[in-house]
Amino acid sequence: MKQNPISPTIPLNRDGVHHGFLKLPYSRDDSAWGSVMIPLTVIRNGEGPTALLTGANHGDEFEGPIALQELAATTKSEDITGRLIIVPGFNYPAFRAGTRTSPIDRGNMNRAFPGRPDGTVTEKIADYFQRTLLPMADLAVDFHSGGKTLDFVPFAAAHILEDKATQEACFAAMKAFNAPYSVELLEIDSAGMYDTAVEEMGKVLVTTELGGGGSSTARSNAIAKKGLRNVLIHAGILQGEMQLEETVSLTMPDDDCYLFSEGDGLFEIMADLGQPVARGDLLARIWPLDRTGQPPMEYRARRDGLLISRHFPGLIKSGDCVAVIGVSAA
Ligand SMILES: [Zn+2]
């Protein structure tokens, strides 16, 4: 296969703290010999496990970039054993634009794996992770939240996998992250996901959904920072005591957890995030935008559980995700 055009401006395998870039040549109208410069920090102290840490897989999800900027700016090599590879802006063009997908090629990083060395900008970044960075890693933490169009209760997640040894290691790392909610996910459409690329290599993956609405809060950022530190202690990379509090364990066993809109309109949520709901409970109503005197469309829970995600904007379109129910794993 072709060589990937990305080159790191710092060593990936030398002791010390190194701040630099993944440099991706990208010739364009405003910069003939220009490059996309993706910020990168590598911190290494001797032999030990490697953690690959990513934020802004989707460019409008901000807890990860904030927690990773702080980690990169404050960690000294003597604080760790092994190596941290920190990329706060995974889909960097999307992150700079504050959009879910890349403004260059509309690429969704979490649908671009395994990528292509001669593909679009997004596919080139995916290929560099697939063939260069992931093989170096023992575990990966990939931060998500709801972005501009969804909001979530703050959770860490791990996938139900065919490889039960990898699944158990992922569940243990999710528990170490210790978000207020912990979710076991059966991924319905896993093709192209970074998560799948990590898991198929037999590496440990923790992913999250820490909030949403296209911003972050003091609480969601604190959850990201605590979880990151806990996972790195769990992996034997950082010294210190894990900070553990109670977590609510949930599963998402099937399609009945998800409700999707079948029309456009004015969105009225009828329950708040974290609220227990029973099958048949009214979760949302969608009112017409263009007339009065008409009844709203009603969306009702198809299972008992907790409301863990909701559509965020005040208007909704046909096909948008209305709400998601998580089911108690206890
Ligand atoms: Zn995301």
Side-chain angles (χ1 to χ4, degrees), residues 203-278:
K203 318 279 190 182
V204 175
L205 174 78
V206 181
T207 185
T208 69
E209 298 289 359
L210 294 180
S215 191
S216 64
T217 64
R219 179 173 182 245
S220 66
N221 288 323
I223 292 164
K225 293 175 191 186
K226 186 200 87 171
L228 179 60
R229 183 173 173 276
N230 274 359
V231 168
L232 294 177
I233 294 169
H234 169 77
I237 298 174
L238 266 184
Q239 290 92 46
E241 288 284 310
M242 282 199 271
Q243 190 188 332
L244 295 172
E245 290 142 65
E246 212 159 312
T247 182
V248 177
S249 293
L250 299 169
T251 63
M252 289 166 57
D254 59 39
D255 283 355
D256 280 351
C257 296
Y258 299 86
L259 291 176
F260 290 92
S261 173
E262 295 183 356
D264 298 356
L266 172 66
F267 183 66
E268 181 185 8
I269 192 77
M270 302 294 288
D272 282 322
L273 288 177
Q275 191 175 315
V277 298

Side-chain angles (χ1 to χ4, degrees), residues 56-61 100 108 110 142-147 208-209:
N57 177 323
H58 296 125
D60 59 350
E61 305 173 2
R100 182 174 182 81
N108 178 343
N110 226 21
D142 188 38
F143 285 95
H144 290 258
S145 51
T208 69
E209 298 289 359

Side-chain angles (χ1 to χ4, degrees), residues 21-163:
F21 302 92
L22 295 169
K23 180 170 170 287
L24 165 54
Y26 172 53
S27 178
R28 56 197 191 269
D29 286 347
D30 65 343
S31 186
W33 287 8
S35 289
V36 176
M37 302 291 277
I38 303 164
L40 166 72
T41 291
V42 178
I43 305 172
R44 185 177 181 268
N45 184 20
E47 295 303 315
T50 292
L52 179 56
L53 309 171
T54 45
N57 177 323
H58 296 125
D60 59 350
E61 305 173 2
F62 296 103
E63 288 83 358
I66 288 168
L68 294 175
Q69 278 284 14
E70 184 174 278
L71 187 76
T74 59
T75 306
K76 302 189 219 37
S77 60
E78 59 265 33
D79 298 338
I80 69 161
T81 303
R83 180 169 51 176
L84 303 177
I85 301 174
I86 305 170
V87 184
F90 189 175
N91 192 341
Y92 187 64
F95 175 57
R96 287 297 300 262
T99 52
R100 182 174 182 81
T101 61
S102 174
I104 295 175
D105 53 29
R106 308 254 60 103
N108 178 343
M109 188 61 73
N110 226 21
R111 293 292 179 275
F113 277 80
R116 293 170 58 105
D118 55 357
T120 63
V121 164
T122 306
E123 288 170 333
K124 284 171 177 162
I125 297 170
D127 176 70
Y128 189 77
F129 273 73
Q130 176 81 33
R131 291 193 297 140
T132 302
L133 295 181
L134 264 180
M136 298 176 182
D138 299 286
L139 81 151
V141 180
D142 188 38
F143 285 95
H144 290 258
S145 51
K148 285 176 183 160
T149 64
L150 292 173
D151 197 11
F152 284 91
V153 297
F155 68 79
H159 290 111
I160 296 165
L161 302 172
E162 278 176 28
D163 173 354

